[in-house]
Amino acid sequence: MNRGMLKFAAVALALSWMGLAMAAPDVGQAQKQPLNVHAIVMFFIFVMATLGITYWAAKRTKTASDYYSAGGGITGTQNGLAIAGDYMSAATLLGLTSMTYFQGFDGYIYCICFYVGWPFIMFIMAERLRNLGKFTFADITSYRLDQRQVRTVAAIGSLTVVVFYLIAQMVGAGQLIKLLFGLEYWIAVVIVGVLMVVYVTFGGMIATTWVQIIKACLLLGGGTLVMLLAFSQFGFSFEKLAVQAVANSKKGLALMAPGSFLSDPVTAVSLSLGLMFGTAGLPHILMRFFTVPNAKEARKSVFVATLCVGFFFTAVAIMGLAAITLVGMNPQYFEGGELGSKLLGGNNMPAMHLAHAVGGNMMLGFLSAVAFATILAVVAGLALAGASAISHDLYANVIRQGQATEADEVRVSKRSSLVLGVIAVLLGIVFEKQNVAFMVGLAFGVAASCNFPVLILSMYWKGLTTRGAIWGSIAGLVSAVLIVVLSKAVWVVVLGNEKPIFPYEQPALFSMPLAFFMAWLGSVTDTSVRAAREKEAFEDQYVRAQTGFGAAGAAAH
Amino acid sequence: MSTAVYERIRKNPKFDELVAKRSRFAWTLTAVVLGIYFIFIMIVAFKPKLLATPIWEGGTASIAWPIGAGMILLFWLLTGLYIRRANSEFDDINSEIIKGAIE
């Protein structure tokens, strides 16, 4: 096991170095950024540190519980940081800064929508998740329902979310690394894929958790530093920042209010629902609740995560506004050195240019390395969640019907993460030239429509039966995917049709109520003996959910 | 294995008290958060101009930003309020109930 681990790490390193070597001749080419030495050195320090942690974690990962949930031995504060690390992707840093840079307050609205799921998770879900779950959220939905059927649909829901999210991250990673490090797109994607598989296969949840904690600290530290340096140039006066931003932006005063972006009320409400409840249905986030020993620590982790996410989003908004002046008024950040032409490296670059503007190459290198680390941590969490859905839900409980040994289950999980890694790399390469922005929306839409309704009903509604859960999940999944495919983002932009069939791009407002309705309908019309037994079993589940008695505790080491 | 214990817990009047107290508290906080959030979203959707009002008479920075940051801060403080009660008062009752049921 350890020898295999070393071999893998060596391969990972060799591949990364190979990437570097191959990137070197590209320095002179026009479109790519010059090789960024600072960034690469710092990134290597990060990779070495995380591989070291993976090695350490591999030695401590003995049981299935260690592998899936770090033996329940993570503290609330650690888990809070890890949740924040899982949740804040490179898209948060780059995309939301860019949105504030171009759209002003609309960017901050987006941040608030992404944020508001957290208090909700705290009040309504955290303690029940911890008290009822063990390794995956399907443990909860299938608690008193038919294991095979309910776990199958839950696993399909999880895998759909994981795959779409992974593709978006992979394509983002490839583009970003090509830009920031001067590496070839495919090499970047392969490096991300290999490192992700190494973390997850050898270090399981323990390694994944620590990669996320380190990344969260780096991201928070780096973001705060850039924000403070930028803000200091305006004397820490928000009014001064706003005056200059308005004067220097094409949008002018429109920066200061909600703009065209969310002008359509249906889209605004649907997006806000999807982001809020989607957060509460993301399998890699839900899984994090099983790594703490009890409900007390679960609550603490949400408290810490909420603080980190809220603070970071606010820092990002300030960065975006500051970039309007500090980046937007500096010709060196534009193609051909001309103000008003395209931003060097594309529209996602204001955060990076801002780092350069306030801290030179050193700061740019640091933030680039942080962005890469961020992607690695997020994909590791996703891969672990996907692999667990395959091994714990599909393999151990559906195929082997609970008869698989722990060793078998973990072995399947490791293989699954390898398969997921290969799929992610291949799809990442296939989708290189595509606009994948809709995929994160789709992942949230499916999470909000397929995973969330059944999860919340299984915890709160006695009347939910297996048939209701199946109907609800499938209705939510199919309608969310269908709506996105028929909307402008896919039907027109990707498939090249003239007009969208469905007028709105955000599915949640339609697909989520449909999922709830079908879950209700399927349950109340279910008069089978099994349904009666399932309703009766709610009593015990309810007591356990409330008190935590009988919950999977911290594994004794 | 634990059905008997679960039943004993269920019959303890303190259990009902715990559930009632905690649920009321959690749902009240949820209602506050969702209420404020959806009022905000409705303003964004239907009355966006309202948020463009300058903070200071004749200033540029609009009230939209402090309102947004205020919401983020308030919601975080509410999660703090919840765990303050849940991790002490509610958890104390909880462990008492469990102790009573297994003895």
Side-chain angles (χ1 to χ4, degrees):
Chain A
M1 159 89 195
N2 279 341
R3 194 184 296 156
M5 158 85 207
L6 281 173
K7 216 159 81 190
F8 229 107
V11 171
L13 272 179
L15 262 171
S16 318
W17 282 115
M18 197 176 83
L20 261 187
M22 294 178 75
D26 285 320
V27 174
Q29 281 179 19
Q31 287 178 337
K32 232 172 282 169
Q33 301 286 300
L35 201 62
N36 186 332
V37 180
H38 290 107
I40 287 173
V41 168
M42 280 184 262
F43 177 67
F44 265 104
I45 297 172
F46 175 82
V47 170
M48 295 306 279
T50 51
L51 286 178
I53 286 170
T54 308
Y55 181 73
W56 165 81
K59 285 198 287 191
R60 302 180 127 227
T61 303
K62 296 191 181 82
T63 64
S65 160
D66 293 335
Y67 179 79
Y68 288 122
S69 61
I74 305 288
T75 70
T77 310
Q78 289 167 351
N79 193 41
L81 279 168
I83 291 177
D86 226 346
Y87 194 59
M88 299 185 296
S89 60
T92 318
L93 173 67
L94 304 178
L96 294 176
T97 314
S98 152
M99 205 181 275
T100 318
Y101 176 88
F102 287 106
Q103 311 276 350
F105 189 65
D106 279 355
Y108 202 36
I109 297 176
Y110 234 98
C111 294
I112 292 166
C113 294
F114 265 117
Y115 169 81
V116 80
W118 287 105
F120 179 79
I121 289 175
M122 169 68 112
F123 305 141
I124 300 303
M125 296 175 75
E127 100 203 346
R128 293 189 187 213
L129 285 173
R130 180 61 198 90
N131 286 344
L132 291 173
K134 196 173 161 208
F135 298 152
T136 63
F137 83 87
D139 290 334
I140 301 167
T141 51
S142 69
Y143 190 87
R144 65 192 159 92
L145 304 182
D146 185 281
Q147 293 283 326
R148 298 183 79 179
Q149 296 181 22
V150 173
R151 278 190 195 268
T152 306
V153 289
I156 294 171
S158 296
L159 286 169
T160 311
V161 173
V162 165
V163 168
F164 284 128
Y165 218 132
L166 265 181
I167 296 175
Q169 295 293 328
M170 279 294 179
V171 174
Q175 305 288 10
L176 187 70
I177 292 161
K178 178 170 144 190
L179 263 161
L180 299 177
F181 291 71
L183 295 185
E184 286 288 342
Y185 177 88
W186 72 269
I187 296 174
V189 170
V190 170
I191 293 176
V192 172
V194 169
L195 285 171
M196 164 181 107
V197 172
V198 170
Y199 295 149
V200 172
T201 312
F202 295 108
M205 183 53 105
I206 301 179
T208 305
T209 302
W210 283 101
V211 169
Q212 281 162 350
I213 291 175
I214 296 175
K215 162 265 170 110
C217 294
L218 284 173
L219 187 63
L220 282 167
T224 309
L225 191 59
V226 172
M227 182 272 282
L228 287 177
L229 286 171
F231 208 5
S232 73
Q233 305 215 1
F234 302 89
F236 294 106
S237 153
F238 189 71
E239 174 68 20
K240 210 166 152 195
L241 177 70
V243 169
Q244 296 214 25
V246 167
N248 295 328
S249 165
K250 275 184 215 143
K251 289 218 134 192
L253 256 181
L255 284 180
M256 292 290 123
S260 55
F261 192 69
L262 286 172
S263 61
D264 157 26
V266 174
T267 304
V269 173
S270 193
L271 175 77
S272 61
L273 279 176
L275 293 183
M276 176 172 178
F277 295 111
T279 303
L282 294 173
H284 61 299
I285 297 286
L286 293 170
M287 211 180 159
R288 292 231 55 91
F289 284 91
F290 313 135
T291 65
V292 290
N294 51 43
K296 219 186 210 80
E297 297 298 315
R299 295 186 201 107
K300 265 189 218 160
S301 39
V302 185
F303 181 65
V304 172
T306 309
L307 172 66
C308 295
V309 173
F311 171 77
F312 189 69
F313 282 173
T314 305
V316 155
I318 293 175
M319 282 167 67
L321 279 182
I324 295 173
T325 305
L326 301 176
V327 173
M329 287 290 108
N330 190 336
Q332 79 173 101
Y333 300 120
F334 291 87
E335 276 176 17
E338 221 173 293
L339 282 185
S341 69
K342 275 170 77 180
L343 268 179
L344 270 185
N347 283 346
N348 269 331
M349 295 301 281
M352 290 299 157
H353 292 324
L354 182 68
H356 185 261
V358 298
N361 276 330
M362 193 72 189
M363 187 58 86
L364 173 66
F366 176 61
L367 208 62
S368 308
V370 168
F372 199 173
T374 289
I375 291 172
L376 277 179
V378 173
V379 293
L382 286 167
L384 185 59
S388 309
I390 296 173
S391 62
H392 183 62
D393 296 331
L394 289 182
Y395 173 74
N397 285 298
V398 175
I399 298 173
R400 301 286 300 271
Q401 301 195 40
Q403 300 302 311
T405 65
E406 281 200 354
D408 277 347
E409 199 180 318
V410 172
R411 195 174 317 118
V412 170
S413 186
K414 291 181 172 184
R415 284 188 196 150
S416 312
S417 70
L418 187 63
V419 173
L420 276 174
V422 172
I423 292 175
V425 167
L426 290 180
L427 289 177
I429 291 170
V430 168
F431 280 90
E432 177 183 354
K433 302 267 187 272
Q434 299 288 328
N435 180 347
V436 292
F438 70 91
M439 284 196 183
V440 172
L442 188 54
F444 269 83
V446 171
S449 317
C450 175
N451 302 347
F452 172 74
V454 171
L455 179 60
I456 199 89
L457 287 176
S458 73
M459 294 195 290
Y460 277 90
W461 184 41
K462 183 181 175 171
L464 183 74
T465 70
T466 296
R467 193 168 80 173
I470 306 291
W471 284 18
S473 298
I474 292 177
L477 177 67
V478 171
S479 59
V481 173
L482 216 60
I483 286 174
V484 174
V485 169
L486 298 180
S487 77
K488 194 178 143 215
V490 176
W491 197 251
V492 180
V493 177
V494 177
L495 298 176
N497 290 298
E498 212 157 89
K499 267 192 173 165
I501 294 179
F502 194 79
Y504 304 108
E505 288 185 30
Q506 300 296 335
L509 182 61
F510 312 96
S511 54
M512 217 173 86
L514 181 72
F516 274 111
F517 174 74
M518 292 307 285
W520 171 80
L521 189 70
S523 299
V524 293
T525 56
D526 189 353
T527 49
S528 62
V529 182
R530 184 180 70 179
R533 206 171 53 227
E534 287 166 355
K535 286 175 194 167
E536 207 170 293
F538 184 78
E539 283 293 302
D540 280 5
Q541 181 200 328
Y542 181 68
V543 176
R544 172 163 158 183
Q546 292 287 356
T547 61
F549 182 75
H557 278 288
Chain B
M1 109 230 167
S2 15
T3 303
V5 181
Y6 284 141
E7 242 184 76
R8 275 207 296 282
I9 295 179
R10 193 80 168 94
K11 291 213 176 94
N12 188 338
K14 275 202 180 138
F15 176 76
D16 290 326
E17 181 201 319
L18 169 73
V19 171
K21 259 192 194 168
R22 191 164 56 195
S23 304
R24 199 180 318 123
F25 192 47
W27 283 109
T28 309
L29 292 173
T30 307
V32 171
V33 168
L34 288 186
I36 294 175
Y37 176 58
F38 277 104
I39 290 172
F40 174 76
I41 293 295
M42 288 304 150
I43 295 175
V44 166
F46 294 103
K47 287 256 179 248
K49 291 279 172 291
L50 205 66
L51 290 168
T53 317
I55 305 173
W56 295 282
E57 187 91 20
T60 303
S62 65
I63 55 168
W65 301 90
I67 286 177
M71 271 167 52
I72 288 182
L73 183 67
L74 175 72
F75 293 168
W76 176 65
L77 290 175
L78 291 180
T79 64
L81 198 66
Y82 179 74
I83 77 163
R84 233 184 91 178
R85 257 189 101 182
N87 279 9
S88 54
E89 186 190 335
F90 299 151
D91 274 1
D92 288 346
I93 308 178
N94 199 5
S95 49
E96 226 175 278
I97 295 171
I98 293 179
K99 219 187 266 168
I102 37 183
E103 261 162 22

